[in-house]
Amino acid sequence: MNAIKERIFGAVTVMNNSSALKLWEFIMNEFAHASDWDSIPEAEPDEFDLQMLKGIEQDKDCHEFVSADEAEKILGIV
């Protein structure tokens, strides 16, 4: 994943539901013609994904979170 996708993923992770809904509506309006969202298949995690998830569970730094409001201030959204 490239840096911009990681930033987008991080921003979505800390968004409140209202902001996430607005973003989803934007995506659906802007990119609905690009593909059929309902036909995107789900994929089972591979060994790399499973190792990454295990690492997240074991890393105490991955369990520290900030509020959505604080994250928006940090990201300059507000």
Side-chain angles (χ1 to χ4, degrees):
M1 184 179 320
N2 68 28
I4 191 65
K5 289 180 181 179
E6 289 178 10
R7 290 184 69 189
I8 292 169
F9 183 73
V12 170
T13 301
V14 297
M15 279 182 183
N16 61 35
N17 286 339
S18 175
S19 295
L21 178 59
K22 289 177 188 175
L23 178 60
W24 181 248
E25 289 171 349
F26 171 79
I27 290 170
M28 292 303 293
N29 288 331
E30 191 69 22
F31 301 103
H33 63 280
S35 67
D36 183 4
W37 292 96
D38 294 328
S39 68
I40 299 173
E42 287 190 32
E44 292 296 319
D46 61 15
E47 188 58 35
F48 179 80
D49 295 331
L50 294 172
Q51 288 177 2
M52 189 170 50
L53 291 169
K54 185 176 180 183
I56 291 168
E57 289 175 359
Q58 296 174 346
D59 186 344
K60 65 179 180 167
D61 290 335
C62 292
H63 299 276
E64 295 181 22
F65 298 98
V66 297
S67 70
D69 291 335
E70 186 177 350
E72 288 174 347
K73 288 177 187 174
I74 292 168
L75 294 170
I77 296 172
V78 178

